[in-house]
Amino acid sequence: MAKLALLVSLFVWVVSLLDFSQAISSCNGPCQTLNDCKGQLICINSQCNDDPDVGTHICSNGGGGGRGGGGGGAKFPPSSSDGCEAFGNLNCKGKLFPQFKCSPRVTSSTRAILTNNDFSRGGDGGDPSECDGKFHHNSKKIVALSTGWYNGGSRCGKKIRITARNGRSVLAKVVDECDSINGCDKAHAHQPPCRNNIVDGSNGVWHALGLDIDVGEEPVIWSDA
């Protein structure tokens, strides 16, 4: 009987290990392969996150579970769409991307996704910046904001404060719009429309925040300075 009990215990232990190895992670949960993440999430930098090619914004809208803000630095409040819903979809290279005229409400700590943009001539930003019709050196601390936050250019030339999960923050000047309505053409460097919660920062912004540009996307909070 003792041997049988030992065998049963060993079997239960092995099964539990198998269940754990097949666990599916939610937003910001740990992962090693694409199969480790739920639904349309993908594994980026060992964490489950939105798929930039598909254009999902599950994690950026607070979906899933996982560690949320994490990091022990800045405190990230729960995000909300505030009734800002897509009004249509743009077909870009056979994929549909949601179009937004609005962005989540701006507060003293607005959640956003920081992406990286090349504001120089010939860069991936396409045409010159909307605010001044000029190209800019990427060492400058500058950003483009999603259409709703850009608000018809009302923030042009103004500073916003961006804070990363590591607690570091930077002041950056708004010089352009990250178009959440139009895209997939020469003016937008053939890129799809931006999501409605994007702060598109230069290399200078990423470096000032101590972030790895190769990661591609980082959750941040921002506010008007």
Side-chain angles (χ1 to χ4, degrees), residues 141-175:
K141 300 178 183 65
I142 52 179
V143 297
L145 296 177
S146 291
T147 295
W149 290 338
Y150 181 73
N151 195 27
S154 66
R155 287 189 169 88
C156 277
K158 296 181 180 179
K159 298 287 184 70
I160 65 170
R161 179 173 296 279
I162 308 165
T163 304
R165 289 186 295 180
N166 59 18
R168 296 179 66 168
S169 64
V170 64
L171 287 176
K173 185 169 75 170
V174 178
V175 299

Side-chain angles (χ1 to χ4, degrees), residues 95-116:
K95 293 183 179 180
L96 293 178
F97 293 88
Q99 297 169 291
F100 295 91
K101 296 178 181 178
C102 56
S103 293
R105 181 172 58 90
V106 176
T107 68
S108 59
S109 53
T110 311
R111 286 187 62 159
I113 296 297
L114 178 68
T115 53
N116 180 240

